[in-house]
Amino acid sequence: MSQPLMAVPRTGRVIATLALAGVTAAVMQTLVTPLLADLPTILHTSHSNAAWVVTATLLVAGVCVPISGRLGDMIGKRRMLLVCCIPLIAGSVVCALSSSAVLMITGRGLQGIGMGMIPLGIALLRDILPAEKLSSSIALVSASMGIGGGIGLPVSAAVAQYADWRFLFWGSAALATAVAVLILAFVPDVPIAAKGQRFDTIGALGLAMGLVCLLLTVSKGADWGWGSPTTLGLAVAAVVVLAAWGWFEWRTTDPLVDLRTTVRPRVLLTNLTSVFIGFGMYASMLVVPQLLQFPAATGYGLGQSMLAAGLWMLPGGLAMMAVSPLGGRLTNARGPKVTLVCGAVVLATGYGAALLLSATAPGLMLAIVVMNSGIALAYGAMPALIMGAVPLAETGAANGFNALMRSLGTSVGAAVIGVVLAQMTTSVGGVTFTSENGFRTGLLLGGGFALVSAAIAALIPAPRPERLAPRNPAGTANETDSAHTSVSR
């Protein structure tokens, strides 16, 4: 086995720091969940305006994650990780000081800029870790998004219920500051693989415009009406702009996203699987909390408080933490394709368990543990597949694009499941609720898309030797050659 180009002492500290960065990004996303019902009162605004507190983070993250990945390849991943900390801290402070919808939405948009931490951290692992540690480390950092969501939700609910809601954002600012300090202390600088390449400004603007139109269509279409001129106009604009962007990216030098790489079957099918995995993951996030919190008088709701519901879901986050290292071992033994297929099948099994066990809170807790175990396996395998198929100079951008595919899956999933839950309703005591059949349909859709993702993942071809990472100019093997071989089988 070839020796690494650089020695990285205390790799455990590096891995822990990058995992904490991922958890921090996840906490930022779930932070406002306990406040959603109260936001119109807190911000003195309408429900539709308050919804932008969630939408703003989604939109900005979708635009910025691929750009952050590309900049990480060009100017250094450690530097970009530190850059991502700045808007996370600033956005948290702005939200903590907010008393209006405009300020809160601005702060949440700033937080969205920093969401590129996870793909940047995963790409950095390839640069610094030996082969024997790479797969398990990728799995842990990849799963940190789910871990942070699972742990952050009950903590946020407890703070919102028993303290001033502003403490949520002061806490997130402190957490992001701690991550920045740990990155400075423990994460090393590494050689810049794409140094000297130009930044594709036109490609970045085109992708931003296209994604804003697309994400607004899928996230706000139900509110505006799927047949409304605004929704249809944005959908048409998304298709036209993204098609023009793809044409430009295919022909330009040093593109933001190298489409020649993304259309390789191994990368293309992994990204397509990511979309369906994202859909499958988000269906449970919409259905299970509502089942736990709906009044028992409905006959199927379990009457739990927000805090209690979060605590019932907490074991799911802990399961991700426990399963991710096992996923890394499976990847080392059988390759990331097998791990991805297994993860999708386990996710579908979790949905089956939810359909059978939804009558009790412990039953739903067990189903969430199974679902999140599948997500942990899948999320750890997807970056390994991507990095096993792209050149070293593109790992940041490729991981950012894969993260975008997952985000698109969750956005589409939220729109589809949201329509199902809104249309299939029942009335109890003069109040309209989503019906039991509506929830069951949502669970069936989530399980069905998980099975589709398993079928697509099964079609991912084996790697070709000539696509391994290039060697360094001195002719000795780059440190990532052996790691690349490890994760790409």
Side-chain angles (χ1 to χ4, degrees):
M1 180 179 295
S2 46
Q3 294 299 315
L5 222 122
M6 55 177 290
V8 181
R10 299 183 177 91
T11 55
R13 294 183 179 182
V14 178
I15 297 166
T17 297
L18 297 177
L20 180 61
V23 168
T24 300
V27 167
M28 299 290 181
Q29 289 191 334
T30 59
L31 201 62
V32 297
T33 302
L35 300 176
L36 289 177
D38 299 325
L39 279 177
T41 302
I42 291 172
L43 302 176
H44 312 290
T45 190
S46 65
H47 284 277
S48 59
N49 287 339
W52 283 97
V53 172
V54 177
T55 305
T57 308
L58 170 71
L59 284 175
V60 177
V63 170
C64 291
V65 165
I67 295 173
S68 297
R70 178 58 178 159
L71 288 172
D73 289 332
M74 294 176 60
I75 66 174
K77 300 179 184 72
R78 177 178 183 268
R79 183 177 299 174
M80 278 307 302
L81 282 168
L82 290 169
V83 168
C84 285
C85 290
I86 296 172
L88 288 178
I89 297 168
S92 298
V93 171
V94 169
C95 289
L97 297 174
S98 294
S99 57
S100 68
V102 172
L103 275 178
M104 180 69 80
I105 292 168
T106 300
R108 292 288 291 164
L110 286 170
Q111 288 179 328
I113 297 175
M115 293 300 166
M117 276 188 157
I118 294 179
L120 279 168
I122 293 168
L124 181 62
L125 290 174
R126 184 187 182 190
D127 295 339
I128 62 178
L129 293 183
E132 62 271 16
K133 291 187 176 182
L134 187 58
S135 296
S136 59
S137 301
I138 288 174
L140 177 62
V141 176
S142 298
S144 63
M145 180 65 81
I147 295 169
I151 297 174
L153 183 59
V155 172
S156 298
V159 173
Q161 185 168 333
Y162 296 110
D164 190 329
W165 62 268
R166 298 179 190 274
F167 284 119
L168 289 172
F169 295 104
W170 288 122
S172 68
L175 189 58
T177 302
V179 168
V181 172
L182 291 173
I183 291 171
L184 283 169
F186 299 131
V187 177
D189 277 319
V190 297
I192 301 173
K195 189 174 184 179
Q197 295 183 8
R198 69 175 181 85
F199 181 71
D200 179 14
T201 304
I202 295 177
L205 292 173
L207 181 62
M209 291 173 58
L211 286 177
V212 167
C213 293
L214 177 61
L215 291 171
L216 280 175
T217 299
V218 298
S219 62
K220 304 299 291 184
D223 295 333
W224 294 337
W226 294 108
S228 71
T230 301
T231 303
L232 292 176
L234 285 170
V236 171
V239 172
V240 172
V241 172
L242 289 175
W245 172 80
W247 178 88
F248 177 82
E249 292 293 283
W250 193 270
R251 287 160 176 78
T252 191
T253 306
D254 299 335
L256 180 73
V257 178
D258 190 345
L259 295 183
R260 294 175 183 82
T261 299
T262 60
V263 297
R264 293 175 182 171
R266 191 169 173 84
V267 179
L268 178 64
L269 291 174
T270 301
N271 282 329
L272 188 58
T273 302
S274 301
V275 173
F276 287 99
I277 287 287
F279 188 116
M281 180 189 74
Y282 208 79
S284 67
M285 293 174 64
L286 283 178
V287 171
V288 174
Q290 292 191 67
L291 276 174
L292 286 167
Q293 294 177 75
F294 265 34
T298 59
Y300 51 89
L302 300 177
Q304 304 290 311
S305 67
M306 168 63 79
L307 176 57
L311 291 173
W312 281 115
M313 296 179 70
L314 176 61
L318 300 178
M320 294 189 76
M321 189 181 301
V323 169
S324 57
L326 301 179
R329 294 177 188 174
L330 180 59
T331 294
N332 284 336
R334 302 297 301 274
K337 173 183 173 179
V338 172
T339 307
L340 180 55
V341 173
C342 289
V345 172
V346 171
L347 177 58
T349 303
Y351 276 105
L355 285 166
L356 295 173
L357 304 174
S358 61
T360 66
L364 280 177
M365 180 189 72
L366 177 61
I368 283 291
V369 167
V370 176
M371 289 181 201
N372 283 13
S373 297
I375 294 168
L377 292 173
Y379 268 36
M382 288 184 288
L385 281 162
I386 293 294
M387 290 195 294
V390 303
L392 183 63
E394 297 177 20
T395 52
N399 271 308
F401 193 74
N402 181 252
L404 172 61
M405 293 299 102
R406 290 184 242 174
S407 296
L408 288 177
T410 59
S411 300
V412 174
V416 173
I417 300 299
V419 169
V420 170
L421 300 184
Q423 295 298 318
M424 303 180 69
T425 60
T426 187
S427 181
V428 178
V431 180
T432 300
F433 295 97
T434 299
S435 67
E436 184 175 10
N437 285 336
F439 285 124
R440 289 189 168 274
T441 301
L443 292 171
L444 283 170
L445 284 171
F449 277 94
L451 289 175
V452 170
S453 68
I456 297 171
L459 300 176
I460 296 173
R464 295 174 61 179
E466 64 268 22
R467 289 180 184 169
L468 296 181
R471 294 177 179 269
N472 63 38
T476 58
N478 189 301
E479 70 185 66
T480 58
D481 288 343
S482 58
H484 187 106
T485 303
S486 171
V487 300
S488 63
R489 284 186 310 206

